[in-house]
Amino acid sequence: MSPSVIFAPDMRRLYLAMILALLAGCGPTQVKVEGSFPTPLMEPLPLKMGVWYPEAFRNHEFFDDAKSRGESSWVVDTGEAQVAMWDTLLAGMFKELVHMKGMPAPEQMNPVVDAVLIPYVDELQYSIPQHTNVKVYEIWMRYRFALVTTGGQPIAEWTMSAYGKTPTAFLRSDQAAVNLAAVMALRDAGANFATGFHRVPEVAAWRESRRGGKARPATKTTAEGASPGGRQP
Amino acid sequence: MIARNLLRIGAWARLPAALGLCFGIILTTGCVTSTVDEMVFNEPVEGIGDATVVILGRRHASDYETEPDFIDCVGKHIASRDNSITVISELDFVNSLYPWFEPRTAPLHPADIERLLQQRPVAQRLEELKTEYMIWIDGATVQSDSTGTMTCGIGPGGGGCFGFGTWSNDSDYEAVIWDFTDRAEVGRVNTTATGQSYMPAVVIPIPIIAPVQGTACDGIGEQLLQFLSAEY
């Protein structure tokens, strides 16, 4: 057996590895957002709040709108970090937080709670210094929230924006900077929600009706653009 | 004896290298011009006792952000010169009071502190932290006027660069001191620093970096130290 025959399979493996390495270099930059989120420092609202994260929210990722996932230069996975942040925030904001077993609906078996919050990420935009010539990485998100009864009857629906940015820094990679900007945007979302939840008119009316002991009519209300932005409850 | 002589010879042999290193350090540091303006009232002449200080960066502007590293540098400058002053880390403070000191919710005026303290958990936490002074720093270091060209190449015999590059760095920071007890602004310190950095390259690029941000940090840190410390 000639040496070339002996080494040929190994060489093929080497070539294959080299081609795969080159192809990997051509793919989009992947970032899985990771960070730790503090518990909010506030008096918990006396509510047994349920939460349901839709699948698109749990697995949320973003890439250039103009391109497909494969063509985008950036793919940023925020789903796990979103769930981690909202779990921490809501557990600190409400007296009790309960995770629903399914999307609230009349036929869906779920634990009984005062209301169920369903968050959605409607839009997300990002910019990096190569796009803007400004030495900051930015992420902007628009959330939509639906507050419903356990049976799925709408109580309130509103939108809220969040923004995070981080400056360029020596020896910090683009991936680390985008991750940090995303963490800042998530913290901002938490701050906006925590300080503004009580200001959403439909939520305030619902809480008032609970305090008055009236049975709340399950009518759909919309507070589009009720971006709270408030500072204090 | 022979061993001692060898050691002595070894020390003399290392001298040029040590001198070269010192010369290199001096050569590789560019020049910086710095100005500090200060206006303070009600200085704590006896020091701040066992109270604490927190230094926070303002992050409201859309086109720049006060660098967390700079805030850290100023805090370390103060704590290292007078170890009786406890400086709370920015991240620890902001995390322990989340969500009240995020860019969206942070107080913009000393009077806003009163509103924050109306919330019992916030008032309790601030009491635990014994925060007496809150210092807000706003500003950034920017790079400008970069010129020059540099070409680098690599071949079978080796690689190298040839050319020359130069750029300017400008720092501009303002620190505003809030007295937590009196809910009042008690001082402002402004510092600006400018420096020119160079990078000549003959085979190996030699960066001659002007420590602009470090100089601004020392300038603002020194003034804050004079305000807070009883020893300075």
Side-chain angles (χ1 to χ4, degrees), chain B:
Chain B
M1 186 67 180
I2 293 168
R4 198 186 297 165
N5 281 339
L6 279 173
L7 276 173
R8 201 175 292 159
I9 291 163
W12 279 109
R14 281 196 294 270
L15 187 64
L19 285 172
L21 184 67
C22 291
F23 183 68
I25 289 167
I26 293 163
L27 191 73
T28 53
T29 307
C31 295
V32 181
T33 310
S34 171
T35 313
V36 181
D37 295 320
E38 181 201 37
M39 183 180 66
V40 293
F41 314 99
N42 302 337
E43 274 187 62
V45 285
E46 300 293 322
I48 62 166
D50 64 346
T52 62
V53 176
V54 64
I55 303 172
L56 301 162
R58 281 277 181 217
R59 309 221 161 77
H60 292 95
S62 58
D63 56 340
Y64 71 88
E65 191 166 84
T66 310
E67 302 91 344
D69 297 352
F70 184 81
I71 305 298
D72 191 43
C73 172
V74 175
K76 280 181 177 159
H77 184 98
I78 295 167
S80 65
R81 299 286 197 288
D82 184 343
N83 53 22
S84 70
I85 300 174
T86 307
V87 180
I88 304 172
S89 136
E90 182 184 31
L91 189 62
D92 289 347
F93 184 85
V94 170
N95 278 350
S96 69
L97 284 150
Y98 181 79
W100 307 110
F101 283 84
E102 297 299 298
R104 178 186 293 274
T105 52
L108 294 172
H109 308 285
D112 296 340
I113 297 170
E114 200 62 57
R115 213 155 32 117
L116 260 183
L117 294 176
Q118 282 170 6
Q119 295 201 61
R120 202 165 49 88
V122 176
Q124 270 177 357
R125 184 62 52 85
L126 285 169
E127 203 176 309
E128 284 163 19
L129 293 170
K130 295 180 185 170
T131 311
E132 179 66 26
Y133 289 99
M134 185 175 280
I135 299 167
W136 290 97
I137 297 183
D138 191 8
T141 299
V142 293
Q143 188 180 309
S144 57
D145 303 333
S146 54
T147 54
T149 55
M150 194 176 293
T151 312
C152 294
I154 189 162
C161 297
F162 186 80
F164 180 78
T166 179
W167 65 93
S168 165
N169 284 102
D170 302 296
S171 287
D172 189 354
Y173 294 95
E174 184 177 54
V176 180
I177 309 166
W178 288 1
D179 184 328
F180 236 71
T181 311
D182 298 335
R183 320 265 194 270
E185 184 182 315
V186 291
R188 273 175 192 255
V189 179
N190 185 279
T191 184
T192 55
T194 306
Q196 192 77 23
S197 300
Y198 308 93
M199 177 120 59
V202 180
V203 183
I204 300 166
I206 302 163
I208 302 168
I209 308 289
V212 177
Q213 199 182 52
T215 306
C217 166
D218 290 345
I220 215 162
E222 204 59 31
Q223 294 305 116
L224 292 174
L225 186 67
Q226 282 179 22
F227 175 82
L228 297 166
S229 176
E231 296 170 16
Y232 280 79

